[in-house]
């Protein structure tokens, strides 16, 4: 799988830890479509992991799609958060922003 983005490290997708407070759910159809996009385009978005908690803060669906597509190493970017409240606020805003888009 070709990676077309900058990243801090490559991590096996199954080793990435889901954030326990992430409320966003990804349906099987969405995961399958993203998996197919990975196969066609390669990977263009890393998963963001908090340095504070070690959990995914953006990219839970990307993790699922990577596993489905048989990706052996996923690009990861590690980011600092001032507090667990700031980390949680980022997760919620990242989840919400997609719902404001129109196709």
């Amino acid at each position: 799988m070709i990676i077309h983005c900058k990243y801090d490290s490559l991590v096996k997708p199954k080793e990435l830890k889901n954030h326990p407070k992430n409320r966003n759910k990804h349906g099987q159809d969405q995961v399958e479509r993203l998996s197919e996009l990975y196969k066609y385009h390669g990977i263009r978005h890393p998963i963001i992991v908090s340095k504070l908690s070690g959990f995914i803060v953006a990219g839970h669906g990307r993790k699922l799609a990577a596993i489905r597509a048989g990706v052996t190493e996923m690009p990861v970017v590690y980011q600092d958060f001032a507090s667990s409240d700031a980390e949680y606020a980022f997760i919620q805003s990242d989840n919400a922003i997609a719902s404001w888009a129109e196709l």
Side-chain angles (χ1 to χ4, degrees):
M1 190 76 48
I2 297 174
I3 297 171
H4 300 283
C5 61
K6 292 184 178 184
Y7 56 88
D8 295 325
S9 66
L10 294 170
V11 180
K12 293 176 184 173
K14 289 183 180 180
E15 292 179 1
L16 293 165
K17 296 183 281 183
N18 292 336
H19 200 290
K21 292 185 176 181
N22 179 43
R23 298 183 328 199
N24 202 14
K25 303 298 178 214
H26 300 278
Q28 193 60 34
D29 188 49
Q30 181 190 29
V31 171
E32 177 61 32
R33 288 178 185 197
L34 183 53
S35 170
E36 292 301 316
L37 289 172
Y38 283 166
K39 293 174 189 175
Y40 183 79
H41 293 289
I43 298 168
R44 296 190 174 270
H45 297 100
I47 291 174
I48 301 173
V49 173
S50 169
K51 288 182 181 179
L52 182 66
S53 67
F55 293 123
I56 296 171
V57 292
H60 294 85
R62 291 187 287 256
K63 172 189 169 180
L64 294 171
I67 292 167
R68 173 106 177 150
V71 173
T72 57
E73 293 183 314
M74 193 67 182
V76 171
V77 171
Y78 297 96
Q79 293 188 2
D80 290 313
F81 289 91
S83 66
S84 58
D85 287 341
E87 182 180 292
Y88 181 69
F90 177 78
I91 293 167
Q92 295 311 313
S93 62
D94 183 67
N95 286 341
I97 197 73
S99 68
W100 299 330
E102 291 182 37
L103 288 177

